[in-house]
Amino acid sequence: MSDTLHSLLPRQVADRYVDELVALDPITGTYLGVASSYRSLPDFSPAGVEAVAELARTTLARLDAAEQLPGADSDAERRCARLLRERLTAELAVHDAGEHLRAVSNIHSPAHGVREAFSISPTETDEDWAALAERLRAVPDALAGYRACLRLGLDRGLYAGPRPTATFVEQLTSWAGEDGEGTGFFTDFAERGPEGRRAELTEAAAAANAATVELRDWIRDVYAPAVAGRPETVGRERYARWARYYNGTDLDLDEAYAYGWSEYHRLLGEMKTEAAKILPGAGPWEALKHLDDHGTHIEGVDEVRAWLQGIMDEAIENLDGTHFELAERVRRVESRIAPPGGAAAPYYTGPSEDFSRPGRTWLPTMGQTRFPVYDLVSTWYHEGVPGHHLQLAQWTHVADQLSRYQATVGMVSANVEGWALYAERLMDELGYLKDAEQRLGYLDCQMMRAARVIVDIGMHLELEIPADSPFHPGERWTPELAQEFFGLHSGRPADFVVSELTRYLSMPGQAIGYKLGERAWLQGRDNARAARGESFDLKAWHMAALSQGSLGLDDLVDELSRL
């Protein structure tokens, strides 16, 4: 290691890591708004993935040296160093266990990353489209590298689950335009390009489409038969490794499971109260089904997109200056309709580092044109403002006071999902859920997050269902029981429930971070309020909390309590 590298403080080590990661991973570079990334895609082959892992190992060695330097013990350097060490260690644990060799999912895989890279790429100029034509031509090699990882996984006996595999085949069929619903993702994308580049884009899209079909056929004809009959769940050891990755802490999984049940019982009581206001004598999910037919609706896809934009615009206008202080560039967020062929859950993509691409919320329509609003209100507080957008855009806004790493790729899932769930609760506390319809929808969203803790931990660890449960007491969880439980305790349609369970099977430990992260945020707020007494200022606390960058749950409560 050179003398120059030996003289870097932790935040400089972290930012050097971001620079070197972007060189290996152009999708990450695209999220950050790095123009040189727009023309290419990552090397998803075993060698390419190993290069990213080797960068993590090198960075940890640099961090060892950085922590010995004068100034490395300041609060700013200490927070960054702890995050960087925890994140890279967790990522290496997942890598070294070979999880990238069985990365099949309905929501998160290299193939999903390739598709989303086009959704977030700039498309305003002819130069943008020249870069995108080159990126389209890179799709076959990217998907071939991913397939090589899965093939190596088969050779080593590292298998994905049958259900995510079957769903992935269906998604690839949709992306290729072979489901009878359109011409395919890449073809549709190319048709948006300028006339002068249409032939080039069409040719490149055809190659990307053919590569998608090739991957689909291999997954269907080779991979799916190889994993047929394999376990869908991962067991305690793999689950604990993934839980650390997504939550930034070594969880007491049995305590977390018990907490999920306690929240289930609390929320069920509140839901019954709201349901009685809507349909006297009805239970919560009977009342929600009533709202599906007789509640407030938005008609039309364009209309629901505009309505969701209005929810975020209103929240910004009302909250800025009262409960938050928002920079002008943080106030910009766009509502979008998600491209077809993805999972059923809404999602958010953050702004580029220079805010030239704003933060965006995405609604999958799942073919619908009529949208009940009872669950969309709190969901858009979660995805937009004051949820994901407010937090992640604020991180980007203050990145120069932190490090690029803390504001971007160092993100801990449970931190951001916990904040977004806290944001829903905050809007309820502030009275923004204006009637029983919206409040029951909010509580249904909360119940879904409690159910995630129960079924995600329960089915992967095959835990026993408690004796005081109204659902199969004393039995042990299976994916089939988990899907039945989730369906009975959710106002969502059947296809959403199936998509959710498939997600939990392919991303163990991620779904629990919403409720466990919310608990951490609430505990940190309560501790800070108790410490400051009458001088506690919620607006100041919010802005300080949102300006400290990413933290794992190990550190989040401690840092929030000090603010």
Side-chain angles (χ1 to χ4, degrees), residues 168-439:
F168 189 39
V169 169
E170 294 173 2
Q171 290 181 326
L172 290 168
T173 299
S174 171
W175 301 354
E178 295 195 350
D179 60 349
E181 299 295 327
T183 59
F185 175 79
F186 295 112
T187 300
D188 289 346
F189 183 82
E191 288 177 354
R192 293 166 45 197
E195 188 63 38
R197 292 196 177 273
R198 188 65 53 80
E200 177 187 17
L201 288 164
T202 299
E203 181 181 3
N209 220 49
T212 304
V213 171
E214 185 178 359
L215 176 63
R216 188 276 313 272
D217 290 350
W218 184 83
I219 296 285
R220 182 193 62 199
D221 300 336
V222 178
Y223 196 83
V227 303
R230 303 287 178 182
E232 294 279 15
T233 55
V234 302
R236 188 175 286 265
E237 181 180 353
R238 283 184 66 198
Y239 192 91
R241 185 183 301 121
W242 277 115
R244 155 60 74 173
Y245 175 82
Y246 285 118
N247 295 273
T249 185
D250 291 318
L251 291 167
D252 180 337
L253 295 173
D254 297 296
E255 185 277 332
Y257 178 68
Y259 172 70
W261 276 112
S262 71
E263 283 293 278
Y264 166 85
H265 289 296
R266 178 184 69 82
L267 290 164
L268 186 59
E270 289 194 45
M271 292 182 75
K272 288 177 178 178
T273 299
E274 298 299 327
K277 299 174 184 177
I278 294 168
L279 196 64
W285 292 281
E286 186 180 354
L288 288 169
K289 288 186 184 301
H290 172 80
L291 292 176
D292 282 336
D293 295 325
H294 304 290
T296 306
H297 286 70
I298 304 296
E299 296 283 352
V301 172
D302 289 340
E303 289 76 9
V304 77
R305 186 210 60 76
W307 181 77
L308 293 171
Q309 183 70 51
I311 287 178
M312 295 188 292
D313 292 344
E314 179 187 45
I316 289 170
E317 194 61 35
N318 292 346
L319 296 176
D320 190 11
T322 55
H323 294 87
F324 302 92
E325 291 289 348
L326 305 184
E328 190 59 37
R329 59 186 186 172
V330 173
R331 289 171 58 97
R332 184 184 172 206
V333 57
E334 294 180 351
S335 171
R336 294 286 186 96
I337 300 300
Y347 59 96
Y348 170 80
T349 56
S352 57
E353 289 184 294
D354 63 358
F355 284 86
S356 60
R357 183 191 70 242
R360 291 168 176 157
T361 59
W362 300 83
L363 175 69
T365 66
M366 307 303 286
Q368 299 176 39
T369 58
R370 184 172 185 266
F371 303 91
V373 307
Y374 62 81
D375 65 332
L376 284 178
V377 176
S378 65
T379 297
W380 249 251
Y381 292 146
H382 178 109
E383 300 295 341
V385 178
H388 284 322
H389 173 70
L390 199 155
Q391 182 185 41
L392 297 179
Q394 179 66 17
W395 285 3
T396 305
H397 177 62
V398 300
D400 59 341
Q401 302 167 37
L402 298 165
S403 67
R404 291 179 75 202
Y405 182 80
Q406 289 167 285
T408 57
V409 299
M411 183 187 77
V412 179
S413 176
N415 180 316
V416 297
E417 298 299 353
W419 167 262
L421 204 56
Y422 167 84
E424 291 186 57
R425 184 186 291 242
L426 176 67
M427 295 303 274
D428 184 43
E429 292 173 348
L430 297 177
Y432 279 84
L433 301 171
K434 301 178 180 66
D435 52 35
E437 186 173 343
Q438 291 185 13
R439 191 145 198 286

Side-chain angles (χ1 to χ4, degrees), residues 84-168:
L84 183 62
R85 185 174 299 282
E86 188 279 321
R87 287 291 80 202
L88 295 186
T89 301
E91 290 166 15
L92 282 171
V94 168
H95 169 83
D96 292 345
E99 294 291 350
H100 60 292
L101 302 180
R102 49 180 164 196
V104 174
S105 170
N106 69 328
I107 192 170
H108 183 68
S109 75
H112 289 83
V114 166
R115 183 172 178 264
E116 194 154 299
F118 289 91
S119 297
I120 62 172
S121 295
T123 57
E124 286 75 29
T125 69
D126 184 70
E127 185 179 353
D128 291 338
W129 283 102
L132 286 166
E134 194 168 338
R135 173 166 271 179
L136 281 168
R137 288 191 288 270
V139 170
D141 283 346
L143 296 185
Y146 170 47
R147 189 170 68 248
C149 269
L150 295 180
R151 186 182 298 109
L152 182 58
L154 292 182
D155 293 342
R156 295 183 179 177
L158 300 174
Y159 305 105
R163 187 193 295 215
T165 300
T167 302
F168 189 39

